């Protein structure tokens, strides 16, 4: 996958999270998780953009690891939302979880490949 394609995919993921948050109920838990999920999911794309402009391999890896950490946080957040049945549109939630999981796999491989170069 080309770097620009991955960046676009991360942006689309963040946008999908923002749009999907409208399906959350209005409980305190939903508001709390929604705010944190929006922060973590948008951070992924922002940190990846910085990684692409990294000054060194070490800087690149650092930003990629931050993005991976935010991906994992988002994934767990989505699983909590699903488990607590806070989102009315289950299909959207399942799509977000699947995309999140795929992105985690991409980042794990990318970090591993960069370390072995």
């Amino acid at each position: 996958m080309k770097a620009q394609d991955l960046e676009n995919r991360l942006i689309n993921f963040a946008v999908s999270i923002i749009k999907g948050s409208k399906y959350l109920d209005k409980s305190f838990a939903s508001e709390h998780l929604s705010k944190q999920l929006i922060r973590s999911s948008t951070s992924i794309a922002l940190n990846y953009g910085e990684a692409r402009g990294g000054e060194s391999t070490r800087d690149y890896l650092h930003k990629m690891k931050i993005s991976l950490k935010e991906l994992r946080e988002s994934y767990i957040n989505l699983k909590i939302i699903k488990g607590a049945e806070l989102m009315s549109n289950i299909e959207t939630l399942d799509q977000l979880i699947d995309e999140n999981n795929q992105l985690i796999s991409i980042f794990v491989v990318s970090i591993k490949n960069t370390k072995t170069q």
Side-chain angles (χ1 to χ4, degrees):
M1 174 179 287
K2 293 181 183 177
Q4 187 60 50
D5 293 337
L6 179 55
E7 185 172 289
N8 289 337
R9 193 167 168 182
L10 294 170
I11 291 167
N12 289 336
F13 177 67
V15 169
S16 295
I17 292 287
I18 292 166
K19 288 181 176 181
S21 68
K22 71 181 174 186
Y23 297 111
L24 289 167
D25 65 29
K26 303 298 179 206
S27 68
F28 174 80
S30 290
E31 283 190 34
H32 174 74
L33 291 167
S34 175
K35 288 176 184 177
Q36 185 59 39
L37 181 58
I38 290 170
R39 279 192 292 274
S40 62
S41 65
T42 56
S43 173
I44 300 159
L46 297 170
N47 278 294
Y48 180 71
E50 285 194 27
R52 288 186 62 196
E55 297 174 7
S56 64
T57 302
R58 185 175 176 201
D59 187 34
Y60 172 80
L61 279 171
H62 176 69
K63 297 293 187 201
M64 290 294 285
K65 287 178 182 179
I66 291 171
S67 293
L68 178 58
K69 184 176 164 185
E70 297 292 341
L71 276 163
R72 288 184 171 139
E73 179 179 322
S74 297
Y75 182 77
I76 292 169
N77 192 322
L78 288 167
K79 297 291 274 188
I80 292 169
I81 289 169
K82 184 172 183 172
E85 300 176 350
L86 300 175
M87 186 178 275
S88 61
N89 189 329
I90 300 303
E91 183 179 332
T92 296
L93 181 56
D94 286 340
Q95 289 170 352
L96 290 170
I97 290 170
D98 181 58
E99 176 66 0
N100 200 153
N101 196 36
Q102 289 180 38
L103 290 168
I104 288 171
S105 297
I106 291 167
F107 271 75
V108 167
V109 170
S110 181
I111 290 167
K112 183 178 178 182
N113 289 343
T114 302
K115 284 182 177 179
T116 60
Q117 291 180 357

